[in-house]
Amino acid sequence: AAVPEETYIDDYTDNSPEALVRRAAWNKGLRCRRDYGPHKIPVAFVRGKVAVFVEPRGSDRTLDSVLRSEGWTVLRYDEEDITDGLEQGEEINDAVRENLKSAKKKKKKQ
């Protein structure tokens, strides 16, 4: 039986704001997990501990403080502000690199 079109998500033709941001980060060499962990982080860059949310303006942000207390950097983008995802990809790349650098320094001190 054919799968109804609206339930099938094709990552190659998905041009949703979230997909554009994921692709821009991927092109920077970053790899993410989707719906990650117990909090179901929509886009998680696990090694660098960066949680990315691409949602409509005014979405619930109660999870931010919990994630920050667990060591995550939380980046939120409004869907309507995303054009090609390149700017966000750059910002995510910087955050991941910064967190990895900090983690390396902490390890050295111990």
Side-chain angles (χ1 to χ4, degrees):
V3 177
E5 206 172 318
E6 60 273 0
T7 60
Y8 177 71
I9 297 171
D10 178 359
D11 282 336
Y12 299 106
T13 57
D14 180 2
N15 287 316
S16 68
E18 182 184 291
L20 294 173
V21 170
R22 278 196 326 265
R23 259 197 303 276
W26 172 274
N27 291 337
K28 295 261 176 219
L30 301 175
R31 301 300 175 253
C32 69
R33 304 275 300 276
R34 291 159 73 181
D35 296 322
Y36 180 77
H39 304 298
K40 297 272 186 240
I41 300 168
V43 181
F45 296 87
V46 181
R47 278 192 58 229
K49 288 202 97 168
V50 175
V52 177
F53 294 83
V54 180
E55 302 173 317
R57 190 166 278 133
S59 293
D60 181 16
R61 294 171 183 250
T62 52
L63 191 54
D64 290 16
S65 57
V66 173
L67 290 171
R68 285 193 181 101
S69 73
E70 293 175 5
W72 289 85
T73 296
V74 179
L75 299 177
R76 286 191 173 270
Y77 301 109
D78 294 323
E79 288 176 339
E80 56 267 26
D81 293 341
I82 294 171
T83 53
D84 55 12
L86 297 180
E87 187 182 316
Q88 292 81 7
E90 195 66 51
E91 196 174 324
I92 292 165
N93 186 46
D94 293 346
V96 167
R97 302 267 180 257
E98 189 57 43
N99 287 356
L100 289 173
K101 216 184 299 176
S102 297
K104 207 176 201 177
K105 279 183 188 169
K106 274 184 197 165
K107 217 178 220 178
K108 252 185 194 167
K109 282 183 182 177
Q110 291 176 346

